[in-house]
Amino acid sequence: MMQDDTLRFSVIQMTPGADKGANIAQARGLIDAAVAADRPGLVSLPEVWSCLGGDRAVKTEAAEVLPAAGSGETGGDAYEFLRETARRHRIHVHGGSIGEQGGDRLYNTTLVFDPDGREIARYRKIHLFDITTPDGQGYRESATYGAGDAVVTCRIGGLTVGLSICYDMRFPELYLALRRAGADLIMVPAAFTLQTGKDHWDVLLRARAIETQCWIAAAACVGPHRDGRGETRFTYGNSLIADPWGSIVARVSDGPGFATARIDPARGAKVRRDMPVLEHRKLA
């Protein structure tokens, strides 16, 4: 799974809905297939893969009370699935994001587990998706979710991994903070809308890779789901991995699936040595 300091890494693309059990089964099948085919040491799931769509009540029911960080206590179905998957395959699992119960609010939360099933990182999405798409559809993530406030990294193999979620990608100051925290690889699990994705997805992800000189990995949802009013909405998919030069080195085709790349820290080190943009930065 690892050779020297390199890491084989798979991004998982899903078409989730509001049925948490069905979503877990879909995630399990895709991860098992990726491990069998490509033997990654790290896999990443999309944003809100455990429950996409439905109204506030549906999201609240699917959300989980998370064990205290580092406690080793038992969590909910999605939490335990991620933990069990890491143990069963002896890999690191980046859990995309799931709904976290937080009193009168939910949080859009990333969890990372090591091959022993230990939780090694937890990140709450900072920037909430309150926008209107070009076709007039409105999204108000802040009506259901609270915002996080912490910049989070963890160590996986020889890499420092920075955590972000979807809409965060539009805010380069977070990615600068992750680079300054030592990130070599930055995760961007997403449920990006079709309307915005077709114009902005590749551009934004490649820009974040170029600016930070980090590997960027974006596991995404793809296809239709039903919102709380029963209307069909579409996510863009196109899960990808980009290298520190901004070149896309792996991409998932349409529909559920996975793509795998070899993350080599030496690639980032060379780019940073030859073009030391962090040292040249003047205004931020």
Side-chain angles (χ1 to χ4, degrees), residues 67-270:
S71 69
E73 295 174 356
T74 301
D77 291 346
Y79 187 96
E80 290 302 314
F81 160 71
L82 296 171
R83 173 187 276 170
E84 182 271 334
T85 298
R87 287 173 176 163
R88 180 163 56 94
H89 289 302
R90 300 298 302 165
I91 61 175
H92 283 84
V93 173
H94 172 272
S97 75
I98 66 172
E100 176 194 353
Q101 293 275 6
D104 61 347
R105 309 288 287 173
L106 303 181
Y107 292 94
N108 189 341
T109 301
T110 287
L111 301 161
V112 184
F113 294 87
D114 73 8
D116 293 320
R118 290 187 296 253
E119 181 189 331
I120 61 171
R122 182 180 300 188
Y123 167 73
R124 289 173 168 177
K125 186 178 183 181
I126 292 174
H127 302 97
L128 301 181
F129 192 56
D130 290 356
I131 70 109
T132 301
T133 57
D135 63 355
Q137 288 187 325
Y139 293 81
R140 296 292 178 267
E141 190 173 15
S142 65
T144 303
Y145 295 90
D149 59 8
V151 174
V152 179
T153 66
C154 61
R155 291 288 291 178
I156 295 179
L159 300 170
T160 297
V161 179
L163 305 182
S164 68
I165 299 173
C166 200
Y167 191 53
D168 282 336
M169 76 174 73
R170 294 184 182 272
F171 301 90
E173 60 271 21
L174 171 59
Y175 293 79
L176 175 59
L178 290 168
R179 166 70 197 277
R180 284 179 165 151
D184 304 295
L185 163 66
I186 300 176
M187 315 293 270
V188 199
F192 221 73
T193 72
L194 178 62
Q195 283 284 312
T196 55
K198 61 187 179 62
D199 294 323
H200 295 167
W201 176 255
D202 280 21
V203 176
L204 286 168
L205 291 171
R206 294 186 66 208
R208 298 295 84 84
I210 293 165
E211 290 168 350
T212 62
Q213 299 172 316
C214 289
W215 294 84
I216 295 286
C221 298
V222 65
H225 64 276
R226 297 276 187 173
D227 68 12
R229 296 185 299 274
E231 297 178 359
T232 301
R233 299 195 173 194
F234 292 87
T235 48
Y236 182 63
N238 281 273
S239 302
L240 62 82
I241 299 171
D243 74 9
W245 189 251
S247 300
I248 295 171
V249 298
R251 187 193 294 270
V252 185
S253 59
D254 289 344
F258 58 88
T260 303
R262 186 172 63 89
I263 307 299
D264 184 357
R267 174 65 171 151
K270 183 180 188 304

Side-chain angles (χ1 to χ4, degrees), residues 10-32:
S10 297
V11 287
I12 306 296
Q13 183 161 288
M14 294 178 58
T15 303
D19 184 331
K20 184 176 176 180
N23 295 336
I24 290 173
Q26 182 182 166
R28 179 180 291 111
L30 288 165
I31 292 173
D32 287 353

